[in-house]
């Protein structure tokens, strides 16, 4: 079933872009159909890493620009759509969803809506997650992504009773996004190299490639724990063991 996957976090600097890039690579390595929509106009770096066949959308409360995000739903009628959201876009996205009755028509058109909420562990990030969860209740499937690259101690989150009650009530999957080593990330960011290209990039070295492999393997396992994508069991293999015949920069043309 087709779906819209919002990569959210509301605040800047919580790791949305890196998580979006990993999810794209997850689709590529598992031969899953997807469309990428880059909605972060101030820092469109996900589209820069995977430039081919991606679309651009703008969420705006301005009436003149209110229709520019409509293509997202049109694309979702055919494929799963991964939307990289900018920071501080909650009011505009909510306006688009409610004004167009997206939740009602998505059910009629068999389009699921998921929000992967990347959290840094900070107070503001947590409050924004709970706000979104309560606003949309069970109408949008939320996945709480704990970014261990920015916070390695989540005890204060584990002890937050209000959060735990909401997660239990709305049956929210909680996944742990692993830390990506600074050296490898800096090299990839500086060269604008996506994960497909990085697997054979000599400057990383043997150990660097091994760290990259381990990071992707752990991240993919966490994504699978959410049980949202559900790729065929035969396609789930460690990233570096794939024979990648897909276009590493764009949409993967395979069976649904």
């Amino acid at each position: 079933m087709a779906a819209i996957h919002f990569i959210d976090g509301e605040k800047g600097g919580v790791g949305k872009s890196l998580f979006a890039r990993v999810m794209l690579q997850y689709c590529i390595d598992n031969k899953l159909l997807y469309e990428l929509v880059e909605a972060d106009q101030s820092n469109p770096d996900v589209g820069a890493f995977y430039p081919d066949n991606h679309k651009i959308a703008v969420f705006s409360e301005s009436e003149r620009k209110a229709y520019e995000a409509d293509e997202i739903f049109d694309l979702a009628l055919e494929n799963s759509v991964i939307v990289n959201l900018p920071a501080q876009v909650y009011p505009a996205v909510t306006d688009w969803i409610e004004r167009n009755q997206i939740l009602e028509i998505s059910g009629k058109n068999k389009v699921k809506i998921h929000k992967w909420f990347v959290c840094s562990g900070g107070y503001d990030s947590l409050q924004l997650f709970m706000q979104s969860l309560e606003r949309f209740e069970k109408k949008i499937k939320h996945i709480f992504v704990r970014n261990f690259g920015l916070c390695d101690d989540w005890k204060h989150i584990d002890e937050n009773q209000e959060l735990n009650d909401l997660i239990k009530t709305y049956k929210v999957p909680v996944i742990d996004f692993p830390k990506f080593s600074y050296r490898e990330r800096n090299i990839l960011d500086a060269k604008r190299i996506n994960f497909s290209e990085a697997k054979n990039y000599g400057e990383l070295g043997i150990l660097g490639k091994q760290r990259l492999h381990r990071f992707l393997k752990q991240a993919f396992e966490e994504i699978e724990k959410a049980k949202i994508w559900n790729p065929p069991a035969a396609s789930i293999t460690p990233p570096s063991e794939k024979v990648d015949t897909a276009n590493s920069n764009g949409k993967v043309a395979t069976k649904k």
Side-chain angles (χ1 to χ4, degrees), residues 3-235:
I4 299 173
H5 297 266
F6 288 118
I7 310 301
D8 197 5
E10 191 56 20
K11 288 179 65 64
V14 296
K16 295 187 302 293
S17 295
L18 180 60
F19 183 78
R21 286 157 53 192
V22 168
M23 182 167 286
L24 291 174
Q25 195 63 44
Y26 176 82
C27 291
I28 291 170
D29 284 3
N30 286 291
K31 306 294 188 291
L32 298 171
L33 281 170
Y34 73 89
E35 296 274 1
L36 167 62
V37 173
E38 178 62 86
D40 191 343
Q41 299 303 293
S42 63
N43 187 29
D45 56 347
V46 177
F49 281 92
Y50 295 86
D52 294 346
N53 300 321
H54 82 274
K55 307 294 192 302
I56 297 174
V58 176
F59 286 96
S60 174
E61 294 177 88
S62 168
E63 185 176 354
R64 293 179 59 186
K65 297 182 177 181
Y67 308 102
E68 294 188 10
D70 289 358
E71 187 179 12
I72 292 172
F73 192 84
D74 294 335
L75 291 170
L77 295 174
E78 299 295 332
N79 296 315
S80 292
V81 182
I82 299 172
V83 185
N84 181 46
L85 291 176
Q88 300 178 344
V89 76
Y90 177 81
V93 173
T94 300
D95 176 71
W96 179 75
I97 290 173
E98 295 181 344
R99 172 170 42 80
N100 293 295
Q101 296 182 301
I102 296 295
L103 300 179
E104 288 77 8
I105 64 174
S106 62
K108 294 178 182 179
N109 290 276
K110 298 182 179 180
V111 175
K112 292 185 177 181
I113 301 180
H114 308 291
K115 180 180 283 194
W116 301 76
F117 197 97
V118 184
C119 183
S120 64
Y123 175 81
D124 290 342
S125 180
L126 183 62
Q127 293 301 310
L128 291 166
F129 170 70
M130 292 192 293
Q131 178 184 353
S132 178
L133 195 55
E134 291 182 304
R135 178 67 172 265
F136 294 110
E137 298 179 330
K138 294 182 180 179
K139 297 176 182 177
I140 291 180
K141 181 68 174 180
H142 286 66
I143 302 93
F144 188 51
V145 182
R146 308 195 306 180
N147 189 350
F148 273 72
L150 295 177
C151 177
D152 58 4
D153 184 359
W154 291 82
K155 184 178 180 180
H156 63 294
I157 303 296
D158 296 334
E159 295 175 349
N160 188 312
Q161 192 60 49
E162 181 182 4
L163 173 64
N164 289 331
D165 288 344
L166 288 172
I167 287 175
K168 183 178 180 180
T169 298
Y170 298 118
K171 298 179 180 180
V172 178
V174 178
I175 67 173
D176 295 338
F177 189 50
K179 181 178 180 179
F180 186 26
S181 59
Y182 291 120
R183 175 184 177 273
E184 283 69 54
R185 180 170 184 178
N186 288 340
I187 291 174
L188 268 58
D189 288 354
K191 304 291 185 179
R192 281 291 190 264
I193 297 172
N194 62 45
F195 290 119
S196 287
E197 297 164 335
K199 295 172 186 178
N200 297 308
Y201 190 61
E203 189 175 333
L204 291 179
I206 294 176
L207 295 183
K209 290 178 184 178
Q210 178 59 29
R211 286 189 290 268
L212 171 65
H213 166 77
R214 184 171 183 269
F215 165 72
L216 288 176
K217 183 175 185 293
Q218 291 177 332
F220 288 4
E221 288 173 350
E222 291 297 321
I223 289 174
E224 286 162 9
K225 286 179 182 178
K227 297 181 179 180
I228 300 297
W229 284 97
N230 295 325
S235 72

